[in-house]
Amino acid sequence: MAVQDNDEGVCVSAEITMPAAEGEAWIQLPDDTKTDEEAAADAFFIIGLILAIGSDGVLEMDQPVSSRLIYNSQAAQDILRTWYPKQLISARLEVTPRAQDKAPLLVRTVSCFTGGVDSFDTLIRNESDVDALVYMHGFDIPLSRTDVREPTSAHLRQVADFTGKQLIEGSTNIRRFLNRAGKWPTLTHGAALSSIGHLLSGQFGRLMIPASHTYSDTFAWGSHPLLDHLWSSNRLSVVHDGAGSTRVDKTKRVAKYPAAKEHLRVCWQNTGKYNCGVCDKCVRTMVALSLSGDLPEFKTFDSEISTDAIRNLKISGMNSLSFVKENLEFAKEQGDTEIEAALNFLVTDFETRKKMKNATAEVASLERRIAPLERKLARMETSVKATKTRAIAAERSAKKLQKMLPIRTWTKISNARYGK
């Protein structure tokens, strides 16, 4: 593990060895970043733990790690393994706890910021407390997509200028390793964001991670109110922020914020456009903005959304279903029957597909239970057939013997053997 200055600023790196993958994981930060080996050890402990439970179950580190992080890691493992019992295993930790941590800097707060609804909402509600915004290239935008990175960076800088916040913009390849442990949205992204916060713990005592969902959404997700705070150390408090509001409530707040009207970015397709306008995230955001009457004021989206565009979406799981249902309730409140009908179509389509999938699974399960019985029945039929064959053969043999010997001889034999 190393913390080194280079031409681009400060680079923190570690050699990672895991089944089917090895190499250098690196995180590049601006040149004014104050980090050290303790912060690096805590950051890579979180990354290493996710890799361990998603692969061979072993985490070995040379540097000592925050005792609080090590203690919390058991609860984090329990939560993740409860969510994904077939995918994850318990990790054996060969890590030394640090004797003493540096004092936390609770007076300064950094918030994760992508330019999306959740990010803007956390910034708006905590504007007086947030001192800086952090964004990492290589998380939602691949490192190779410089065509997308450049306009995104420009928008981020303008938001920072508008709000008067420090912008910490870095890059990393750690997702290359994390993708081998599990999916980014449902498992790894919260841990990745927390690891960056630890690298900034020389300047900030609190990291805010904007919530994707509400407290009532209990399904598994990579950043979660049960999970995020467990990535805290004695130096850094990790806060899961905003789970008390639905995405619709957040969008209503964001809709009135001038910087959001100029720079809101929700798209994950990386088509080259800032927002593609057709993916599920773009469409559902546009629906909420349209229902609130604010869509025409947002320069990063088209000014209208058609019901055909809504109907063309497909709900893929509980994550997207929760957002569609929130928009559906908003459409009912606003009395927009066309959007309500289009959203109802999506929900009905999803529920129908889910029932068909469940029915198919039940049939497959029944077939698996029937298969052994069918094999047993086949063996019984074979046995009965063989018995019949032997009985027929015995009957033929008896008839041949009867022809060879007179009846009186058979009677004498029978009487001698069995009695009269």
Side-chain angles (χ1 to χ4, degrees):
M1 193 175 300
V3 180
Q4 298 176 323
D5 293 336
N6 59 19
D7 293 340
E8 298 180 32
V10 179
C11 184
V12 182
S13 62
E15 287 295 325
I16 291 179
T17 302
M18 59 183 292
E22 61 179 39
E24 183 185 58
W26 53 265
I27 301 168
Q28 182 69 49
L29 296 167
D31 55 12
D32 58 350
T33 303
K34 296 177 183 178
T35 194
D36 55 31
E37 290 189 357
E38 287 189 8
D42 291 349
F44 276 104
F45 172 80
I46 296 173
I47 296 167
L49 182 68
I50 298 297
L51 297 180
I53 65 176
S55 59
D56 60 354
V58 180
L59 173 57
E60 298 177 1
M61 292 184 65
D62 296 331
Q63 285 84 358
V65 172
S66 162
S67 57
R68 182 181 175 187
L69 256 180
I70 295 174
Y71 179 81
N72 286 346
S73 69
Q74 186 58 58
Q77 288 189 68
D78 290 343
I79 292 169
L80 292 170
R81 288 174 57 238
T82 300
W83 288 344
Y84 307 109
K86 296 181 180 179
Q87 178 183 348
L88 305 178
I89 60 176
S90 179
R92 184 180 81 249
L93 305 183
E94 298 184 8
V95 183
T96 304
R98 201 156 43 235
Q100 187 175 357
D101 285 327
K102 293 180 179 178
L105 299 172
L106 293 176
V107 293
R108 302 200 74 214
T109 298
V110 59
S111 183
C112 300
F113 191 82
T114 62
V117 171
D118 297 329
S119 298
F120 263 114
D121 182 67
T122 288
L123 173 60
I124 293 167
R125 289 183 298 97
N126 302 280
E127 194 160 3
S128 60
D129 296 321
V130 172
D131 299 286
L133 308 173
V134 59
Y135 177 82
M136 297 301 296
H137 296 281
F139 280 176
D140 60 336
I141 297 177
L143 292 170
S144 60
R145 295 300 304 273
T146 55
D147 59 320
V148 180
R149 173 174 178 167
E150 291 171 3
T152 300
S153 294
H155 279 281
L156 292 171
R157 288 193 293 269
Q158 291 178 56
V159 173
D161 290 342
F162 177 86
T163 58
K165 308 299 180 186
Q166 176 188 357
L167 176 63
I168 302 168
E169 194 176 352
S171 58
T172 179
N173 73 337
I174 63 173
R175 186 169 174 180
R176 168 198 157 197
F177 297 92
L178 289 172
N179 284 347
R180 295 184 176 273
K183 293 182 179 179
W184 177 257
T186 56
L187 175 61
T188 65
H189 78 277
L193 294 172
S194 298
S195 70
I196 303 303
H198 282 280
L199 293 178
L200 303 176
S201 61
Q203 298 160 273
F204 305 94
R206 183 187 297 114
L207 172 74
M208 285 189 171
I209 299 181
S212 301
H213 297 282
T214 69
Y215 291 115
S216 63
D217 295 317
T218 56
F219 51 82
W221 202 245
S223 170
H224 196 281
L226 284 178
L227 192 60
D228 287 355
H229 70 99
L230 295 174
W231 303 129
S232 299
S233 69
N234 291 333
R235 293 179 63 172
L236 180 77
S237 293
V238 179
V239 178
H240 184 87
D241 179 78
S245 301
T246 66
R247 184 66 62 84
V248 166
D249 291 334
K250 293 177 182 179
T251 305
K252 290 177 184 178
R253 277 193 290 269
V254 169
K256 309 305 178 185
Y257 197 65
K261 295 178 181 181
E262 301 282 339
H263 308 292
L264 184 66
R265 180 181 79 92
V266 301
C267 192
W268 58 275
Q269 293 284 3
N270 298 318
T271 60
K273 299 175 69 174
Y274 194 62
N275 288 305
C276 74
V278 295
C279 72
D280 59 342
K281 292 187 72 173
C282 282
V283 170
R284 67 183 183 231
T285 302
M286 294 172 71
V287 166
L289 290 172
S290 177
L291 289 170
S292 68
D294 298 295
L295 182 57
E297 298 181 33
F298 277 74
K299 296 184 178 180
T300 56
F301 293 106
D302 291 337
S303 59
E304 295 180 348
I305 178 73
S306 69
T307 54
D308 286 340
I310 299 171
R311 288 175 179 270
N312 286 336
L313 294 181
K314 254 197 191 334
I315 299 175
S316 57
M318 298 305 295
N319 169 56
S320 52
L321 176 65
S322 66
F323 295 133
V324 169
K325 283 187 172 180
E326 288 175 10
N327 274 336
L328 177 57
E329 290 304 312
F330 192 24
K332 291 178 181 177
E333 291 174 11
Q334 299 298 95
D336 193 316
T337 55
E338 289 188 1
I339 290 181
E340 179 185 346
L343 294 172
N344 258 323
F345 171 81
L346 295 182
V347 174
T348 302
D349 174 68
F350 172 77
E351 291 175 346
T352 300
R353 285 186 286 113
K354 186 177 179 181
K355 287 178 182 178
M356 290 178 63
K357 184 178 179 181
N358 290 341
T360 302
E362 288 177 5
V363 169
S365 176
L366 184 60
E367 288 175 344
R368 285 193 297 270
R369 292 197 298 270
I370 289 175
L373 297 176
E374 289 179 334
R375 289 193 294 270
K376 186 175 181 179
L377 181 60
R379 288 194 298 268
M380 291 175 66
E381 289 175 344
T382 301
S383 178
V384 169
K385 187 176 181 181
T387 302
K388 286 182 177 179
T389 302
R390 288 195 296 271
I392 291 170
E395 186 179 352
R396 288 173 180 169
S397 297
K399 287 180 178 179
K400 287 181 181 179
L401 286 171
Q402 286 176 350
K403 290 179 180 179
M404 292 170 60
L405 297 171
I407 293 176
R408 289 181 180 178
T409 304
W410 276 105
T411 303
K412 290 179 180 180
I413 293 172
S414 177
N415 291 342
R417 179 172 296 180
Y418 301 110
K420 291 183 179 181

